[in-house]
Amino acid sequence: MRDACGLVVEAHRLVRSLIQPGITTGELDAAVVELYRRYDAEPLFLGVPCPAEGGPPFPAVTCISVNEEVVHGIPGRRKLVEGDIVSVDTGARLHGWCGDSAWTYPVGKVAADRQAILDAGEEVLMLAISEFGRRSRWSEVAGEMEAFALSRGYGVVRDFVGHAIGREMHEDPQVPNFVGDDMAEQDFLLQPGLVLAIEPMLNGGVDEVEVLPDGWTVVTEDRQPSVHFEHTVALTAEGPVILTAGVGAASP
Ligand code: MG
Ligand code: MG
């Protein structure tokens, strides 16, 4: 999994180096297509069946979601502009194992309220990873994540959650960022060997989201901006190991 996750880190470094006003989301995706091709890696998002009836399979190797778009944005002709925040999510399988990571990047200089939600999103992910190594059940981690987000005044997206990951990208159990009504049945023990894609999504306003007519793009209901931060994390006897460490860091 380190190899697959290392390649996902590489994809993020590449995208991050390219993000600037004027580049299109399609150009960012094309760069990752080329990278995965070079490593003979399998892009995990390409061709995923549409959750909306009759919608097209996902056409890209990254999900690129700008501003009020939460997840599953389709890369295309949209040009990024100064002040945007852009969430890039990508996953790849290499040598039979999967990696998955998302990060929300600023485009140039962003407004203070946008920088604040970027900071909070990264902080809630790192909080979750540290709690993952200290707690005995996921519900305790999810409760801490939800409390942190609410204390900052952000909505926690409830329609999408993290997941275990291994030979497949989406494995059981589901990994929510909040404590829902069904948490008692969905809760699980945290023990070495578990590898999770932990991926909080925070909204600037309400937690409700809706899907655009393209069948994929998820946006906040109130069109306030949203952020998405995801690491693939292995729990070992020595504690959590972030397999996608380096995503979000400046290029070397
Ligand atoms: Mg992802
Ligand atoms: Mg994921």
Side-chain angles (χ1 to χ4, degrees):
M1 291 192 77
R2 282 186 189 279
D3 291 347
C5 289
L7 182 56
V8 167
V9 173
E10 207 51 48
H12 271 275
R13 286 202 164 124
L14 180 58
V15 164
R16 188 191 162 120
S17 73
L18 294 172
I19 286 176
Q20 58 172 316
I23 196 163
T24 67
T25 55
E27 288 168 325
L28 297 178
D29 187 72
V32 180
V33 167
E34 179 51 35
L35 176 72
Y36 288 167
R37 192 173 290 145
R38 204 148 24 93
Y39 281 83
D40 205 18
E42 180 191 344
L44 293 171
F45 296 3
L46 184 67
V48 169
C50 189
E53 200 172 332
F58 196 76
V61 306
T62 59
C63 292
I64 303 188
S65 311
V66 184
N67 298 335
E68 76 281 2
E69 297 173 355
V70 180
V71 287
H72 304 167
I74 301 173
R77 288 191 294 260
R78 180 176 185 160
K79 276 192 165 89
L80 298 178
V81 302
E82 177 98 13
D84 279 344
I85 56 173
V86 56
S87 301
V88 178
D89 191 357
T90 192
R93 186 188 277 122
L94 189 64
H95 311 144
W97 296 92
C98 299
D100 184 11
S101 179
W103 207 263
T104 305
Y105 300 97
V107 180
K109 191 159 170 48
V110 301
D113 59 331
R114 292 188 171 195
Q115 190 58 53
I117 193 172
L118 286 172
D119 294 344
E122 187 174 348
E123 227 173 300
V124 74
L125 173 60
M126 298 321 285
L127 169 73
I129 293 168
S130 109
E131 294 294 317
F132 182 36
R134 299 176 46 228
R135 304 289 189 158
S136 56
R137 295 185 161 270
W138 182 258
S139 55
E140 301 169 63
V141 181
E144 293 292 330
M145 295 172 81
E146 186 173 21
F148 174 90
L150 297 181
S151 76
R152 296 286 177 95
Y154 297 122
V156 179
V157 174
R158 302 176 87 85
D159 289 11
F160 299 92
V161 296
H163 47 94
I165 178 168
R167 288 196 177 274
E168 300 298 326
M169 176 168 62
H170 291 141
E171 297 188 352
D172 287 335
Q174 294 201 333
V175 181
N177 308 301
F178 55 89
V179 178
D181 297 336
D182 54 358
M183 190 79 235
E185 304 100 81
Q186 304 238 315
D187 206 3
F188 55 91
L189 283 172
L190 306 183
Q191 41 202 1
L194 197 54
V195 186
L196 303 181
I198 302 174
E199 50 178 313
M201 287 146 267
L202 301 187
N203 292 349
V206 299
D207 58 61
E208 285 84 3
V209 298
E210 59 190 42
V211 180
L212 294 184
D214 65 16
W216 282 103
T217 312
V218 177
V219 296
T220 54
E221 203 177 85
D222 59 8
R223 302 303 191 264
Q224 290 292 309
S226 184
V227 298
H228 181 202
F229 290 87
E230 173 184 33
H231 270 313
T232 296
V233 187
L235 189 56
T236 72
E238 287 77 45
V241 174
I242 304 174
L243 297 176
T244 47
V247 170
S251 299

